[in-house]
């Protein structure tokens, strides 16, 4: 059994997840905490629940999913784990901030840890997350899937009745189509979908109602 706490972060209302189990260990997925109150809320939750953060995971390298990487490195020594194809993005968060938002982020950079690949596993406590690489929104986009809990953290690949944009320089509609087909063919219909933005869904509902999945 595990516990999932969602934090809605930054101006783009990105979903950051803290996932923990009875061991007290936790993983943080897509730490987009930007404003001070968001950072404080995240740290307060971890402390109040007496959790031990052991992994910082990113579904992809876009800035809104990685604003808080430096915070977690400073507090817990966590280095972001991300698919290798998105390493150029996550290593240049300050450049993304200037080019996309016109802001300077002195604390946006943090060391990169393990580079993930399709089929890899990330373990914490008694749980395992499987890495399913899903290029399309970015070259290194990925989903983290827990078989035991029937749950997938889909980042900006799959939203409730929508999908992530493919018009960024590192995006590809052709790759997105292939990735979506892989997702719905590999994940059971009862799988809970926890995306990078917006409310949760299920694979069954997306098969029925998502216009991008055929």
């Amino acid at each position: 059994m595990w516990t999932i706490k969602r934090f809605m972060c930054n101006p783009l209302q990105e979903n950051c997840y803290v996932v923990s189990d009875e061991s007290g260990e936790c993983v943080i997925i897509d730490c987009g905490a930007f404003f001070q109150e968001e950072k404080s809320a995240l740290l307060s939750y971890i402390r109040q629940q007496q959790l031990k953060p052991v992994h910082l995971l990113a579904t992809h390298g876009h800035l809104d999913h990685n604003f808080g990487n430096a915070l977690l490195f400073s507090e817990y020594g966590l280095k972001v784990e991300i698919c290798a194809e998105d390493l150029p993005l996550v290593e240049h968060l300050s450049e993304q901030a200037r080019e996309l938002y016109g802001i300077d982020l002195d604390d946006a950079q943090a060391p990169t840890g393990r580079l993930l690949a399709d089929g890899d596993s990330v373990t914490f406590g008694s749980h395992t997350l499987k890495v399913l690489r899903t290029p399309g929104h970015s070259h290194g986009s990925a989903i983290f899937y827990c078989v035991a809990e029937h749950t997938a953290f889909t980042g900006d690949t799959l939203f409730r009745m929508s999908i992530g944009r493919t018009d960024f320089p590192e995006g590809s509609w052709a790759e997105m189509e292939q990735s979506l087909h892989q997702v719905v063919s590999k994940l059971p219909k009862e799988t809970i979908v926890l995306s990078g933005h917006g409310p949760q869904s299920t694979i069954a509902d997306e098969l029925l109602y998502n216009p991008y999945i055929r």
Side-chain angles (χ1 to χ4, degrees):
M1 192 69 179
W2 68 4
T3 299
I4 300 173
K5 175 69 173 179
R6 182 182 72 152
F7 295 86
M8 191 178 296
C9 297
N10 67 60
L12 296 183
Q13 297 185 309
E14 179 267 345
N15 291 328
C16 167
Y17 300 97
V18 179
V19 188
S20 60
D21 67 13
E22 67 282 350
S23 72
E25 292 189 345
C26 72
V27 298
I28 298 98
I29 300 175
D30 286 352
C31 187
F34 174 66
F35 297 111
Q36 187 56 50
E37 56 266 33
E38 296 168 352
K39 297 178 181 180
S40 296
L42 176 63
L43 295 181
S44 293
Y45 174 78
I46 292 172
R47 291 166 184 159
Q48 289 169 3
Q49 299 300 314
Q50 299 182 322
L51 300 178
K52 178 185 178 183
V54 294
H55 293 286
L56 169 59
L57 305 177
T59 58
H60 62 292
H62 288 154
L63 180 61
D64 56 318
H65 293 251
N66 294 275
F67 273 121
N69 291 355
L71 172 71
L72 294 180
F73 178 70
S74 174
E75 292 287 332
Y76 304 108
L78 296 182
K79 299 178 180 179
V80 66
E81 300 172 47
I82 192 169
C83 282
E85 292 80 4
D86 267 14
L87 183 61
L89 286 175
V90 81
E91 285 190 333
H92 297 90
L93 296 179
S94 293
E95 287 86 341
Q96 286 192 55
R98 285 193 295 270
E99 293 173 4
L100 297 178
Y101 303 103
I103 58 177
D104 290 319
L105 290 179
D106 294 334
D107 65 345
Q109 297 296 139
T112 304
R114 177 185 176 191
L115 296 180
L116 303 172
D118 188 65
D120 281 351
S121 296
V122 177
T123 61
F124 69 100
S126 61
H127 286 82
T128 298
L129 295 170
K130 289 288 188 181
V131 179
L132 177 63
R133 186 167 167 260
T134 54
H137 182 64
S138 68
H139 296 311
S141 286
I143 285 173
F144 301 112
Y145 172 55
C146 182
V147 177
E149 301 288 352
H150 311 291
T151 301
F153 299 89
T154 60
D156 287 4
T157 295
L158 179 62
F159 301 137
R160 181 176 179 269
M161 289 187 277
S162 189
I163 61 171
R165 292 173 58 175
T166 61
D167 58 340
F168 293 120
E170 66 276 5
S172 166
W173 170 244
E175 287 187 333
M176 179 65 86
E177 281 191 307
Q178 294 176 357
S179 292
L180 292 172
H181 175 74
Q182 180 182 202
V183 169
V184 298
S185 62
K186 286 188 175 182
L187 301 187
K189 291 183 179 180
E190 67 268 20
T191 302
I192 298 167
V193 173
L194 298 178
S195 59
H197 302 269
Q200 74 177 51
S201 185
T202 64
I203 293 296
D205 282 351
E206 295 313 303
L207 285 167
L208 283 173
Y209 303 118
N210 194 317
Y212 297 96
I213 296 177
R214 296 186 295 272

